[in-house]
Amino acid sequence: MRDDALTEEQAAERLAHHLLREAYRDLASVLLSANAKAAESLFYAIEKRTADALRAIVADRSEGAASTRIARKAGGELNALFESAHGRTGSAASRRVA
């Protein structure tokens, strides 16, 4: 029964992340079309906050021995989202982590 609960929890998490990614892309698109300059400022702040949080995870080792790998994986996934939603490439959060 425990395995079923974990599988359901993982499936719910994947679905939630998928829906949030789609919503983020939609919001980014609307922001860019409404006010590109304001959108760029907001995107920069989001990217910076993300990179800072990932660096803190590595520095604090808050995820244990796997902190760097976890932060890099999360950073890579977020960078891909940011690139597709923001319509540009930049310094990948995963490369800025460690």
Side-chain angles (χ1 to χ4, degrees):
M1 186 89 151
R2 173 79 173 117
D3 289 338
D4 290 343
L6 186 57
T7 301
E8 286 179 18
E9 185 176 319
Q10 290 170 330
E13 213 171 273
R14 284 191 307 272
L15 177 58
H17 286 142
H18 171 75
L19 294 172
L20 285 170
R21 278 191 304 272
E22 294 302 310
Y24 187 89
R25 284 187 186 102
D26 291 344
L27 287 169
S29 177
V30 169
L31 283 171
L32 280 168
S33 64
N35 187 333
K37 188 173 181 177
E40 289 297 326
S41 293
L42 180 60
F43 297 157
Y44 174 80
I46 290 168
E47 291 169 3
K48 182 178 181 331
R49 183 179 301 157
T50 299
D52 290 347
L54 293 172
R55 275 194 290 277
I57 288 168
V58 172
D60 298 343
R61 302 194 55 80
S62 58
E63 297 297 325
S67 292
T68 299
R69 286 190 310 278
I70 291 168
R72 284 187 176 172
K73 174 80 173 156
E77 290 179 23
L78 289 168
N79 188 63
L81 171 61
F82 295 158
E83 285 179 2
S84 68
H86 302 173
R88 66 172 188 275
T89 60
S91 177
S94 60
R95 282 175 267 177
R96 291 186 277 175
V97 170

